[in-house]
Amino acid sequence: MLRLAAFAVTSALAAAATGPLPPLPLGRLLASPDRLTIDISKAGSLNGRYRLDCRPVGGDHPKAEEACARLDTLAKQGKDPFASAPKPAMCTFQSGGPATAHVTGTWHGQKVDSWFGRENGCDIARWDNLEPVLPSAGA
């Protein structure tokens, strides 16, 4: 019993000598993880379902590290990468192919349920802005 008391006092003194511990990041610990499911279709060999986890990086997305870095960059810029294209918008009449992507899950504590396509210039720009979360059109 005396050893236990001596250990407790010694531990307390050692902790006090090193200074206070930094606060725990409770907000981030309690927040929902960033976890997205990305369904790609009409994109040939890129078709499939991928899971992307950020903080920590994981899942089976082929470019998970780069994709999470891109999402972090957009977040620092205050942009929502999953927002719909603004309406009304002047878009060029061009086609980027038939590829579509459906992104669902959670990002920065918000539910995501967003569709992407390449039907016109606005949609192509929106898709390209999210690369490498979405595959490159040239891939």
Side-chain angles (χ1 to χ4, degrees), residues 3 83 113:
R3 282 187 187 170
D113 187 354

Side-chain angles (χ1 to χ4, degrees), residues 87-114:
K87 307 270 186 217
M90 298 283 291
C91 302
T92 59
F93 289 109
Q94 68 188 73
S95 175
T100 62
H102 186 206
V103 181
T104 57
T106 305
W107 183 70
H108 283 225
Q110 300 296 314
K111 288 215 175 262
V112 174
D113 187 354
S114 191

Side-chain angles (χ1 to χ4, degrees), residues 4-66:
L4 183 58
F7 177 74
V9 169
T10 304
S11 296
L13 290 174
T18 60
L21 294 174
L24 290 174
L26 292 178
R28 188 63 196 148
L29 289 174
L30 299 175
S32 300
D34 292 341
R35 176 168 291 153
L36 300 170
T37 300
I38 303 153
D39 288 304
I40 307 292
S41 59
K42 300 179 191 169
S45 65
L46 298 173
N47 287 350
R49 174 176 280 189
Y50 306 97
R51 194 181 89 222
L52 175 64
D53 297 335
C54 297
R55 284 184 236 106
V57 175
D60 60 1
H61 190 285
K63 295 184 177 180
E65 297 256 349
E66 296 93 340

